[in-house]
Amino acid sequence: MKINGVKGMNDILPAAVGRWQEIEQVAREVFALHGYREVRTPVVEPYALYARGVGEATDIVTKEMYVFEDKGEEKLALRPEGTAGTVRAYIEHGAHVEGPQKWFYVGPMFRRERPQKGRYRQFHQIGVEAFGIAEPDIDVEQIAMLADLFRRLGVAPVVHVNSVGDAACRPAYLEELRGWLRERAAVLCADCRERTERNPLRVLDCKVPSCQPVLAEAPRLLERLCDGCRAHFAAVRQGLDDLGVAYQVNPRLVRGLDYYVRTAYEFTSDALGSQSAVAGGGRYDGLVETLGGQPTPGIGFGMGEERLALILEAAGRPVPRTVPEVFFVSADDTGRREAMRRAAELRRAGVACDLDARGGKLARQFKQAERVGARYAVVIGGNEASSGQAKLKDMATREEAPVALSGLVARFRPTPA
RNA sequence: GUGAGUGUAGCUCAAUCGGUAGAGCACUGGACUGUGGAUCCGGGGGUUGAGGGUUCGAGCCCCUUCACUCACCCCA
């Protein structure tokens, strides 16, 4: 009986894993340059953390979370996103006493949705959270950092920014919008009528053609922001302009989770099919308090690694691959023992090398050397072992040159920095 | 949860009207007894996703089921 992997949960095989390693490596470099430090939190958290933090009524909590009882003791959930767990850890360890904290995380998230392009049940996110900074400069820094990260990877998703208001101005706007939508329920699609009650902001980006002209006239939150939100948003825009970050103000940009206030931003690409967002973030000034901590402003983003990988693929960026510098080819048993010794010697010196432990015909070993991408082959048989002189073959040019076995380490040892 | 599409070798796909399942790539061996990318020749590999039905006969038609893909909802 063959057992297959779980639906929507993918294997990342060696031939593809270089893509993930590259993404994560570049992210770590960029984060380090901006003062973000890594945090690792569990993949499992109390169900209540997400019910309270992400929002009791959100799709994520009501229908997408993997929830289970831990031997009847506690209701647990596989994390559907990274912010709630990071905030829990921030509060639990009293991190606020040491001033603003800039953290990042990398790891799998789980949502039980129907899989499609760019959406999987286990997916991988790279995210950052900045705690304790209410000022708009951190919003600017985060957006610019993300743009820099993408630039280093050779892609340039479109940056959308918006303000979703806060407790001072959003509730009044939502009521105004809801009332306005109810008056026009007759000309809106069924989904929009449903969303009018459940999540009126979502109505604004309805894709149904007949809704578009109606919604274009809808009242706009950006024109009804309170003074604080208005000033914050203006400062974010000014800051992005100062840094030369190109962006679009998108009044329809909405964050899916309850905790977002003020700045919302998103990076999108048309290489992703209908799931166009590769990264999304925003400010969550009330979340830490909601989860039992001191009132603490926060802002962060999550980036989908699978989606970024799709973008890099579409951009034709090659998958990086680690290859051995030297591949030993042995002609006989004596040569093979010598090859094993020399390989060990090179490895201790920090030189990546390999050999075909099956031995066998030279042709097969050379084929294996080629397959693993070795730059050089060294042929060793009984003669070479006793004379100490072997042949060094450049796999690309096929040129051979004599080499002393005792000089291999000096020849290939990485030059100290 | 809803809708559509697709299931044939490890991968990409053929198979005429319903008539004994094939190719390319990949793998493996040989041509080539100490040399990998080309060429030529050989070899292994399949319950045609699964189950049932119609038929003398089903990869093909019908039913059921499962899986995958894309889209909706929503989101990274």
Side-chain angles (χ1 to χ4, degrees):
Chain A
M1 182 66 188
K2 188 175 75 165
I3 296 178
N4 290 331
V6 176
K7 180 201 292 282
M9 302 196 181
N10 302 312
D11 302 309
I12 303 168
L13 297 176
V17 82
R19 181 78 82 198
W20 267 253
Q21 291 170 333
E22 178 185 37
I23 289 170
E24 289 166 13
Q25 183 190 331
V26 170
R28 288 173 188 282
E29 287 170 9
V30 170
F31 295 160
L33 288 171
H34 290 75
Y36 284 79
R37 296 189 296 159
E38 182 172 7
V39 60
R40 301 192 185 193
T41 64
V43 164
V44 175
E45 294 278 1
Y47 168 84
L49 174 66
Y50 301 108
R52 200 183 312 163
V54 174
E56 198 82 59
T58 57
D59 280 9
I60 288 180
V61 172
T62 58
K63 55 185 206 188
E64 294 174 3
M65 273 208 297
Y66 284 95
V67 179
F68 61 100
E69 297 274 333
D70 179 13
K71 301 284 189 189
E73 290 176 4
E74 192 177 7
K75 198 173 179 185
L76 303 177
L78 258 45
R79 63 180 183 194
E81 55 94 51
T83 299
T86 303
V87 169
R88 178 200 53 70
Y90 172 85
I91 296 168
E92 191 165 335
H93 300 280
H96 64 283
V97 303
E98 294 183 15
Q101 297 291 311
K102 294 157 80 172
W103 292 359
F104 76 90
Y105 59 83
V106 176
M109 306 292 165
F110 305 85
R111 291 184 200 172
R112 197 181 184 289
E113 306 176 84
R114 287 284 283 268
Q116 67 190 68
K117 188 181 179 73
R119 168 197 286 168
Y120 309 100
R121 290 185 170 184
Q122 173 173 335
F123 59 104
H124 298 82
Q125 272 193 358
I126 298 175
V128 313
E129 316 290 353
F131 298 107
I133 306 168
E135 286 70 16
D137 278 356
I138 190 68
D139 308 32
V140 172
E141 183 186 270
Q142 239 170 48
I143 295 168
M145 176 171 75
L146 206 34
D148 184 48
L149 194 164
F150 288 124
R151 188 184 52 75
R152 285 179 181 236
L153 287 167
V155 295
V158 180
V159 184
H160 302 264
V161 301
N162 191 26
S163 175
V164 296
D166 65 8
C169 51
R170 186 162 52 184
Y173 167 75
L174 287 182
E175 275 320 300
E176 179 187 356
L177 177 61
R178 187 172 278 136
W180 189 91
L181 291 170
R182 281 176 182 152
E183 288 170 17
R184 288 156 183 81
V187 294
L188 293 175
C189 68
D191 279 344
C192 281
R193 290 198 295 273
E194 156 73 19
R195 279 182 294 225
T196 294
E197 304 308 320
R198 194 163 45 88
N199 190 353
L201 285 178
R202 279 278 165 219
V203 178
L204 296 180
D205 56 4
C206 176
K207 291 158 191 145
V208 176
S210 62
C211 291
Q212 297 288 355
V214 183
L215 296 173
E217 306 297 319
R220 299 192 163 211
L221 175 55
L222 279 183
E223 292 158 6
R224 287 162 180 75
L225 293 177
C226 60
D227 290 346
C229 286
R230 189 194 316 279
H232 190 94
F233 191 49
V236 169
R237 297 186 56 175
Q238 182 63 52
L240 291 173
D241 290 339
D242 287 349
L243 296 186
V245 177
Y247 64 93
Q248 296 178 5
V249 173
N250 183 350
R252 294 180 175 183
L253 174 59
V254 177
R255 301 275 76 225
L257 314 183
D258 284 0
Y259 49 65
Y260 287 106
V261 296
R262 293 196 168 172
T263 309
Y265 59 97
E266 200 164 278
F267 285 63
T268 65
S269 163
D270 55 14
L272 292 176
S274 76
Q275 313 302 321
S276 61
V278 62
R283 182 166 276 282
Y284 47 83
D285 291 343
L287 181 60
V288 175
E289 193 173 1
T290 298
L291 292 175
Q294 299 292 315
T296 305
I299 179 168
F301 64 75
M303 178 177 74
E305 289 195 75
E306 281 81 358
R307 291 186 183 179
L308 180 50
L310 283 171
I311 293 173
L312 297 181
E313 201 70 45
R317 190 178 176 89
V319 178
R321 178 187 183 193
T322 55
V323 298
E325 190 73 11
V326 177
F327 196 99
F328 287 97
V329 172
S330 52
D332 51 36
D333 284 347
T334 306
R336 196 136 63 93
R337 285 195 299 277
E338 181 66 16
M340 284 291 286
R341 281 193 293 269
R342 293 300 179 182
E345 185 181 35
L346 277 179
R347 288 160 174 165
R348 280 194 297 270
V351 179
C353 57
D354 202 357
L355 50 75
D356 189 337
R358 299 174 303 177
K361 297 178 58 169
L362 285 195
R364 185 170 78 173
Q365 295 182 52
F366 267 99
K367 188 161 188 177
Q368 189 64 16
E370 189 199 354
R371 192 144 43 190
V372 301
R375 298 185 205 287
Y376 294 94
V378 173
V379 187
I380 303 180
N383 295 340
E384 288 82 357
S386 54
S387 73
Q389 290 291 315
K391 275 177 284 189
L392 177 67
K393 181 168 185 174
D394 184 317
M395 291 296 289
T397 66
R398 305 187 134 200
E399 287 167 3
E400 287 188 342
V403 65
L405 290 176
S406 59
L408 283 174
V409 167
R411 169 75 173 72
F412 287 106
R413 182 166 47 204
T415 48

